[in-house]
Amino acid sequence: MDITSDTHSQHISNQFNQELEELKTHLMAMGGLVEKQVQDAIAALLDSDSRLAERVTDNDRAVNDMQLKIDEECTRVLARRQPAASDLRLVLAVIRATSDLERIGDEASKIARNALSLAESGLTARGFVEVRHISEHVRKMVRDALTAFARFDTELALKVVQEDDAVDSEYSTAMRSLVTFMMEDPRSITSILSVMWILRALERIGDHADNLAEYVIYLVKGLDIRHSDVESLDDETLKRKG
Amino acid sequence: MSVTLSPRGASAEITDFDAAASCFAIDGLSLAYDGRPALRDLTLAIPRHAVTAFIGPSGCGKSTLLRALNRLHDLDDTVGRAGRIRLEGQDIHAPDVDVAELRRRVGMVFQTPNPFPMSIYDNVAFGLRLQGIKRKRTLDEVIEWALVSAALWDEVKDQLHTSAWRLSGGQQQRLVIARTLAVQPEVLLLDEPASALDPISTLKIEELIRSLKSRLTLVLVTHNMQQAARVSDYTAFLHDGELVEYGATDSLFTNPRLARTENYITGRMS
């Protein structure tokens, strides 16, 4: 059966309702911080803002701390409540989601470190157009995946999953043109390599957003669509299977 | 041992094929105490060599259903019944069925351990002696086999002739299971077999249940949902005398089909 975002507040035990509610709230707070980290890392790159880039790398510790805290809360719920059905799926989805959010945070730090080295070298690199384009795309994916999580919205989650293919193909195109730039102008290799690392980080962020969206579908429908053929999935299929 | 038939829910019909492929085939079973309905038109097949658990709130009919499987309700004149129960294809209410033989084939273990006031040996020998088996060597062999099967032999082999009442609650329950196993049943019905036991004894009983399913079909009634999730292969959720949902335990406890099941197993108000 499908569940809704208020399903987890209907237990006979109010304490249990509260514990599950807190898991969701803390996950959303972590998601908000991670989203901001990605946004700041890209801004630091495009505006050559070293101070902002440093702030992003410093904030990564806060992301890690949040992951540890939420995982500990999940462990406590598992040990004390032995949740079943949708409650169990919520706890599993949150544990998995914190791991992907933490990695998005790591990718944001990577972008910030590369932005810092580019800013310090004073080089203007090629490929910023591609970075701007893909970053907008993956930031939207992260935002939508988190919104889907908050609202238990499988339709939106499915859109995120389907977006990931578009990001992957944009990434391949951008990489090909950067390789061409490097062949044309070998002096630009160092700076272009930094941009390539950044594009790679953005592509990975897209993958993690895709994972987050898959957890929403698992949580709501009880369907594990990891390793499924995305093309064959549409909302009707999910409705039938759920 | 493979399961030949997946369980059928309330809406499905039991065909002769299903009845032949399952241990119990229950067809449109309704039961009432003094005209008050306790089971309403239940249809389900219980697979062989598997553990099937009945869960549900107090008064939902799970113990009534369990007792119907070896005709324990025969002792109560106020009970009315409609529908059919087949054991290995044979109607258990057919006029030619010997009830004592049915209860040998379908053994029952209750919530509170009930060893007889006699020695451990005599407890296990009881059913065999009723069957007319008197030869000491045969009795010795079967009693050792039954106690080994019930995972009790090592603990009692040096005190077989002391009173069964000296055993702990958990040991007494395993003794009762050994007593039931001694007469070679095909099915073991367990009505809350571990609810009066401490956690370690409970785990021993659960381990025993799992080890027995290669030889027997087991049907378990339990209030403890974690227990149903731990030991059973199939779970049936009953509510108000109706079979609400019946399916593989793995999917029922992670992704039940119906909201009523979800609400019950996750402790929500329904």
Side-chain angles (χ1 to χ4, degrees):
Chain A
M1 60 160 273
D2 286 8
I3 54 165
T4 58
S5 53
D6 62 354
T7 298
H8 297 107
S9 56
Q10 295 164 353
H11 295 90
I12 294 164
S13 162
N14 260 325
Q15 175 76 30
F16 190 21
N17 288 339
Q18 218 171 318
E19 286 166 12
L20 294 179
E21 205 47 54
E22 274 174 17
L23 283 188
K24 285 194 278 180
T25 312
H26 292 163
L27 183 76
M28 286 306 126
M30 183 179 179
L33 177 60
V34 166
E35 209 183 320
K36 177 90 173 40
Q37 286 283 87
V38 176
Q39 184 186 335
D40 286 351
I42 298 297
L45 170 76
L46 298 178
D47 304 340
S48 296
D49 185 342
S50 345
R51 198 173 290 172
L52 186 57
E54 275 166 5
R55 201 162 72 210
V56 171
T57 51
D58 289 349
N59 273 351
D60 192 45
R61 182 174 292 173
V63 175
N64 295 347
D65 288 348
M66 281 174 119
Q67 182 194 20
L68 295 180
K69 182 168 170 259
I70 298 171
D71 277 3
E72 201 182 303
E73 288 170 356
C74 289
T75 309
R76 217 161 32 224
V77 170
L78 287 173
R80 293 171 70 125
R81 304 281 177 187
Q82 288 113 45
S86 66
D87 298 335
L88 176 62
R89 300 204 303 273
L90 174 70
V91 177
L92 291 178
V94 169
I95 293 174
R96 289 173 186 165
T98 56
S99 155
D100 280 277
L101 286 173
E102 190 272 332
R103 286 181 190 185
I104 295 178
D106 287 347
E107 300 297 343
S109 283
K110 242 181 250 174
I111 295 172
R113 281 199 300 276
N114 280 292
L116 199 60
S117 70
L118 277 172
E120 281 168 357
S121 69
L123 296 170
T124 39
R126 309 286 293 264
F128 273 24
V129 178
E130 286 83 353
V131 168
R132 192 191 302 273
H133 186 70
I134 295 180
S135 74
E136 274 166 17
H137 210 149
V138 297
R139 272 173 51 205
K140 183 167 184 315
M141 282 176 71
V142 174
R143 198 165 51 240
D144 286 351
L146 289 169
T147 308
F149 218 119
R151 295 185 193 154
F152 288 32
D153 182 343
T154 51
E155 223 167 297
L156 184 58
L158 193 58
K159 275 188 194 140
V160 174
V161 173
Q162 285 156 350
E163 282 291 294
D164 193 41
D165 280 351
V167 169
D168 289 349
S169 90
E170 282 167 17
Y171 169 70
S172 305
T173 313
M175 291 302 262
R176 270 199 306 274
S177 56
L178 288 179
V179 170
T180 316
F181 291 146
M182 286 199 289
M183 288 194 301
E184 284 169 358
D185 178 11
R187 283 169 306 171
S188 68
I189 286 177
T190 314
S191 61
I192 288 185
L193 273 178
S194 287
V195 177
M196 280 179 150
W197 280 118
I198 289 167
L199 282 172
R200 171 83 190 137
L202 287 170
E203 190 269 335
R204 292 295 300 143
I205 291 173
D207 291 344
H208 292 303
D210 174 30
N211 291 346
L212 290 172
E214 288 173 354
Y215 307 150
V216 177
I217 291 166
Y218 170 70
L219 162 61
V220 178
K221 303 270 184 191
L223 278 178
D224 198 338
I225 63 158
R226 291 177 298 176
H227 317 298
S228 297
D229 177 15
V230 183
E231 300 287 311
S232 68
L233 290 171
D234 54 35
D235 206 50
E236 276 308 304
T237 322
L238 291 186
K239 267 186 198 143
R240 264 201 316 279
K241 288 188 174 174
Chain B
M1 196 63 102
S2 67
V3 173
T4 52
L5 179 71
S6 57
R8 299 299 169 99
S11 58
E13 286 191 5
I14 301 287
T15 63
D16 286 344
F17 172 77
D18 292 338
S22 51
C23 173
F24 275 109
I26 301 163
D27 238 333
L29 180 69
S30 294
L31 220 128
Y33 294 106
D34 253 338
R36 274 182 301 110
L39 296 177
R40 302 165 198 264
D41 195 19
L42 302 191
T43 294
L44 68 155
I46 295 175
R48 283 190 200 107
H49 295 292
V51 182
T52 300
F54 297 160
I55 61 167
S58 295
C60 71
K62 53 190 190 300
S63 290
T64 303
L65 174 58
L66 192 77
R67 282 152 198 254
L69 298 179
N70 72 350
R71 288 180 57 177
L72 274 191
H73 298 300
D74 284 12
L75 308 169
D76 185 347
D77 292 339
T78 65
V79 174
R81 175 188 56 83
R84 187 160 63 146
I85 302 174
R86 277 175 287 178
L87 169 62
E88 297 298 344
Q90 184 194 15
D91 189 337
I92 65 167
H93 294 96
D96 60 339
V97 168
D98 173 357
V99 180
E101 172 61 9
L102 172 71
R103 292 187 187 138
R104 181 201 64 77
R105 291 173 68 192
V106 184
M108 181 120 183
V109 173
F110 297 91
Q111 181 172 2
T112 317
N114 56 351
F116 301 142
M118 50 182 75
S119 71
I120 293 168
Y121 185 96
D122 290 341
N123 259 280
V124 186
F126 195 84
L128 299 166
R129 285 179 175 143
L130 275 186
Q131 287 180 352
I133 299 168
K134 298 218 166 66
R135 210 169 139 242
K136 190 173 177 306
R137 201 160 148 204
T138 313
L139 286 175
D140 285 352
E141 274 171 19
V142 179
I143 286 163
E144 179 173 345
W145 170 86
L147 286 167
V148 168
S149 299
L152 189 60
W153 176 252
D154 287 342
E155 292 163 56
V156 301
K157 63 184 176 200
D158 300 326
Q159 42 169 329
L160 290 176
H161 297 286
T162 58
S163 169
W165 285 7
R166 286 205 194 159
L167 298 174
S168 72
Q171 288 173 324
Q172 287 186 7
Q173 193 65 309
R174 279 180 283 145
L175 176 65
V176 172
I177 293 174
R179 191 175 66 198
T180 314
L181 292 176
V183 295
Q184 311 270 353
E186 295 157 44
V187 183
L188 195 56
L189 307 177
L190 303 131
D191 192 352
E192 296 268 9
S195 62
L197 305 180
D198 67 84
I200 299 296
S201 305
T202 299
L203 288 175
K204 285 185 182 167
I205 296 285
E206 289 178 4
E207 192 52 34
L208 176 58
I209 291 172
R210 292 204 73 87
S211 72
L212 289 175
K213 74 174 174 180
S214 59
R215 272 182 269 161
L216 298 164
T217 298
L218 295 111
V219 189
L220 167 76
V221 160
T222 179
H223 268 299
N224 181 335
M225 268 163 316
Q226 270 75 40
Q227 182 170 69
R230 283 194 297 263
V231 301
S232 72
D233 301 293
Y234 301 101
T235 301
F237 169 53
L238 285 90
H239 192 264
D240 205 13
E242 285 174 19
L243 178 62
V244 178
E245 188 165 341
Y246 181 30
T249 301
D250 284 340
S251 58
L252 195 121
F253 279 92
T254 54
N255 193 14
R257 280 187 299 114
L258 301 174
R260 282 166 79 188
T261 318
E262 169 96 24
N263 288 343
Y264 181 69
I265 64 172
T266 58
R268 289 188 175 85
M269 281 164 269
S270 52

